[in-house]
Amino acid sequence: QVQLLESGGGLAQEGGSLELSCVAPGRVYAMNAMSWYRQGPGQQRELVAAIYPNGCTNDANSVRGRFTISRDNARNTTSLQMRALKTEDTADYYCRAEIAPRMGDILDYWGQGTKVTVSL
């Protein structure tokens, strides 16, 4: 069973920085896109940023220029560096990865979520 383990997050002041990390421990057969989603209070879950095995990225307009997603294919990890944080970035952040645990179908896996709170 693949589990995504998230770390980072916490409390930051507006204008500050935080970094989130996510790892899929153990061996997997293949990993496609890795991404970060967030869900603010009373809001729907939304895509923050995604990164593909070739390094191409896709990010939301609201975070462009402030957040940077990266990945280490050898370590099955993805990180989200968040700078110039705003109060509206306050949310639960979730890691998602498309993984084939063994030869066969690629499945969606989600982390447990990590809370980011940005204060004035």
Side-chain angles (χ1 to χ4, degrees):
Q1 179 71 17
V2 176
Q3 288 184 314
L4 299 183
L5 303 178
E6 298 164 354
S7 60
L11 181 64
Q13 287 191 320
E14 194 168 54
S17 301
L18 286 172
E19 184 168 356
L20 308 180
S21 295
C22 173
V23 60
R27 298 186 66 178
V28 299
Y29 179 74
M31 185 175 294
N32 195 8
M34 303 185 81
S35 51
W36 290 93
Y37 285 72
R38 69 184 181 187
Q39 187 167 15
Q43 298 179 356
Q44 291 188 328
R45 191 172 296 189
E46 63 175 359
L47 174 68
V48 176
I51 186 166
Y52 301 90
N54 62 4
C56 289
T57 62
N58 177 34
D59 51 26
N61 289 336
S62 59
V63 305
R64 191 162 298 145
R66 300 188 298 121
F67 290 11
T68 303
I69 188 171
S70 60
R71 68 186 282 166
D72 183 333
N73 292 330
R75 298 175 186 267
N76 296 340
T77 61
T78 181
S79 296
L80 184 69
Q81 186 174 30
M82 305 183 291
R83 297 180 296 271
L85 285 163
K86 304 176 180 179
T87 55
E88 51 261 46
D89 295 321
T90 295
D92 292 320
Y93 284 72
Y94 298 88
C95 175
R96 175 189 176 214
E98 300 171 350
I99 297 172
R102 63 196 66 81
M103 187 182 297
D105 292 339
I106 289 181
L107 305 175
D108 260 348
Y109 293 88
W110 290 84
Q112 76 284 1
T114 185
K115 185 173 293 290
V116 171
T117 303
V118 183
S119 62
L120 291 171

